[in-house]
C-alpha cells in the first residue's frame, strides 16, 4: 500500500494525517513514481486551511503538486522513461505520498548534478516566475521591481530576469539582502519610504513590477512607479488586479491562465533543470521533514522559514 497525507476538513496543520491508499497504477500516458522528495508550497497550506477556496471535502483529500523520485512503471503509450529512472515532476495530484502517478508530459529526467530535494523545489516557484516574466516580455533594458525577492518565487524571478538581461530591484528584509545580492538583484528594504528607495536604485525608472508579497505596499508602489500597468502583475492578490488595472497570474485570480501561459509553466522545469546542472541557477533549500511530519512542515511554511521545504517519504 501507498502512504499518503490527507485531510478531511479545513483547518490548522493538525488536520493533516497519514493514511494508506492503494498503490497507484499508471494508465495510458502516465508514469508511476516512487517519491523521494515532495515540495511543500504555500498554496498547499492555503488550500488546507481554507484560505484559498476549493470544492467541499467529500472524501479524504490529498496534497502536493511537485516532487522528485524514481520511475516504477510506465503506462501505455509512454516513451522515454523506464523503471529506475530518476525524475522530477510538476503538476501532480497528491505528491505528499510514498508513490504517485503523474501525466508523462509533466515528468522530466533528473540530471545527476541535481539533488532530489532541488528537483522537488522547482515546479510552482520556477513555473510561476518563468511564465510571469515571459508574459511581461522581460528582457535586456528592463528594470524590474520584484516584491518578495527572498522567497522561492522571488528568487526564481530574480535569476531568470537577470539571465535575460534585466536589472532587478527586489524587496526583502535586511537580513536577506545577501541572498538577493548573490542572485544578482539589488535589495531594498520594504516599509515606509519604499518608493523613494526604489527610485534611488533605479534613476532611469522601473519598467515592470511583480508582486510576490501580496501587501498593499507592494501594489501601491508598483502602480506608482511603473507607467504601463500592463507590465505590473500580482501573483498573490489576483482578485484585486482588475480594480487596479494590472495583471494577475493565478494567486486567486478569477481569470484562468491561457494555454500558452500553462505551457510556459511546464517548460520552466526542464529549462531550470538544465541550468541547475550547469550551475547557472540556484535553489535555496530549507529544512526537510519526514512525510509523517507534514503538519510540522506546514507550520514552518506559515512561519516563513527560509528556503524551500521538502517532505521525504
Amino acid at each position: 500500500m501507498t502512504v499518503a497525507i490527507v485531510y478531511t476538513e479545513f483547518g490548522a496543520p493538525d488536520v493533516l494525517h497519514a493514511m494508506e491508499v492503494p498503490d497507484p497504477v499508471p494508465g495510458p500516458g502516465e508514469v508511476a513514481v516512487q517519491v523521494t522528495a515532495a515540495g511543500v508550497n504555500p498554496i498547499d497550506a492555503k488550500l488546507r486551511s481554507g484560505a484559498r477556496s476549493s470544492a467541499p471535502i467529500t472524501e479524504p483529500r490529498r496534497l502536493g503538486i511537485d516532487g522528485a523520485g524514481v520511475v516504477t512503471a510506465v503506462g501505455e503509450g509512454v516513451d522515454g522513461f523506464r523503471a529506475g529512472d530518476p525524475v522530477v515532476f510538476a503538476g501532480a495530484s497528491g505528491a505528499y505520498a510514498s508513490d504517485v502517478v503523474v501525466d508523462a508530459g509533466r515528468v522530466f529526467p533528473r540530471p545527476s548534478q541535481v539533488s532530489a530535494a532541488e528537483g522537488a523545489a522547482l515546479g510552482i516557484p520556477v513555473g510561476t516566475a518563468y511564465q510571469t516574466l515571459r508574459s511581461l516580455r522581460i528582457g535586456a533594458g528592463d528594470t524590474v521591481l520584484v516584491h518578495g525577492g527572498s522567497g522561492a518565487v522571488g528568487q526564481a524571478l530574480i535569476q531568470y530576469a537577470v539571465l535575460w538581461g534585466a536589472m532587478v530591484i527586489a524587496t526583502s528584509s535586511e537580513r536577506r539582502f545577501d541572498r538577493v545580492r548573490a542572485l544578482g538583484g539589488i535589495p531594498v528594504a520594504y516599509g515606509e519610504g519604499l518608493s523613494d528607495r526604489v527610485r534611488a536604485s533605479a534613476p532611469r525608472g522601473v519598467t515592470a513590477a511583480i508582486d510576490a508579497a501580496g501587501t498593499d505596499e507592494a501594489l501601491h508602489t508598483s502602480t506608482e512607479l511603473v507607467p504601463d500597468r500592463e507590465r505590473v502583475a500580482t501573483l498573490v492578490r489576483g482578485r484585486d488586479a482588475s480594480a487596479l488595472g494590472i495583471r494577475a497570474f493565478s494567486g486567486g485570480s478569477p481569470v484562468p491562465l491561457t494555454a500558452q501561459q500553462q505551457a510556459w509553466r511546464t517548460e520552466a522545469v526542464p529549462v531550470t533543470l538544465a541550468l541547475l546542472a550547469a550551475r547557472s541557477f540556484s535553489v535555496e533549500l530549507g529544512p526537510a521533514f519526514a512525510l509523517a511530519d507534514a503538519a510540522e512542515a506546514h507550520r514552518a511554511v506559515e512561519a516563513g522559514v527560509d528556503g524551500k521545504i521538502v517532505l521525504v517519504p
Side-chain angles (χ1 to χ4, degrees):
M1 296 288 282
T2 290
V3 176
I5 299 300
V6 303
Y7 59 107
T8 55
E9 60 181 321
F10 299 115
D14 289 337
V15 301
L16 298 176
H17 60 277
M19 71 176 292
E20 290 189 338
V21 298
D23 289 330
V25 177
E30 294 180 331
V31 175
V33 179
Q34 182 180 43
V35 180
T36 51
V40 179
N41 291 292
I43 185 61
D44 301 339
K46 292 176 182 177
L47 288 168
R48 180 220 76 229
S49 69
R52 180 65 57 83
S53 61
S54 59
I57 299 174
T58 57
E59 59 183 10
R61 181 169 294 175
R62 294 172 60 173
L63 273 172
I65 297 172
D66 307 325
V70 177
V71 173
T72 56
V74 298
E76 181 182 351
V78 175
D79 293 323
F81 295 105
R82 61 182 179 181
D85 286 347
V87 294
V88 169
F89 60 84
S93 177
Y96 289 13
S98 56
D99 294 87
V100 69
V101 161
V102 189
D103 183 281
R106 297 178 178 274
V107 181
F108 312 96
R110 176 168 63 85
S112 60
Q113 303 94 325
V114 179
S115 71
E118 289 174 322
L122 299 185
I124 284 183
V126 303
T128 301
Y130 185 92
Q131 172 264 308
T132 298
L133 293 167
R134 292 291 298 268
S135 294
L136 296 180
R137 309 179 311 280
I138 301 302
D142 275 315
T143 297
V144 185
L145 173 60
V146 173
H147 297 279
S150 64
V153 174
Q155 291 191 30
L157 285 165
I158 293 170
Q159 291 181 84
Y160 265 111
V162 169
L163 280 170
W164 297 345
M167 173 183 174
V168 180
I169 299 168
T171 68
S172 78
S173 63
E174 291 188 15
R175 70 178 185 81
R176 300 287 280 155
F177 276 13
D178 286 348
R179 179 61 181 170
V180 170
R181 289 192 188 98
L183 300 177
I186 299 170
V188 294
Y190 45 71
E192 186 176 351
L194 175 60
S195 295
D196 292 336
R197 290 191 293 278
V198 173
R199 287 190 183 96
S201 297
R204 292 181 294 179
V206 177
T207 59
I210 303 165
D211 164 38
T215 63
D216 290 344
E217 174 188 69
L219 295 175
H220 173 76
T221 304
S222 297
T223 54
E224 178 185 351
L225 296 180
V226 180
D228 182 0
R229 293 200 177 186
E230 278 293 302
R231 302 197 81 197
V232 177
T234 179
L235 308 178
V236 188
R237 299 271 294 275
R239 295 191 182 280
D240 300 323
S242 178
L244 294 169
I246 65 175
R247 304 179 73 180
F249 304 119
S250 296
S253 172
V255 180
L257 296 173
T258 66
Q260 176 63 82
Q261 290 165 348
Q262 292 281 15
W264 279 332
R265 290 197 174 202
T266 301
E267 177 182 289
V269 178
V271 170
T272 308
L273 284 168
L275 289 169
L276 275 169
R279 297 294 182 259
S280 297
F281 195 93
S282 173
V283 171
E284 181 184 28
L285 293 176
F289 293 85
L291 184 64
D293 294 329
E296 289 301 317
H298 274 218
R299 290 188 185 94
V301 166
E302 292 174 336
V305 169
D306 294 343
K308 185 68 177 183
I309 295 170
V310 298
L311 295 174
V312 181

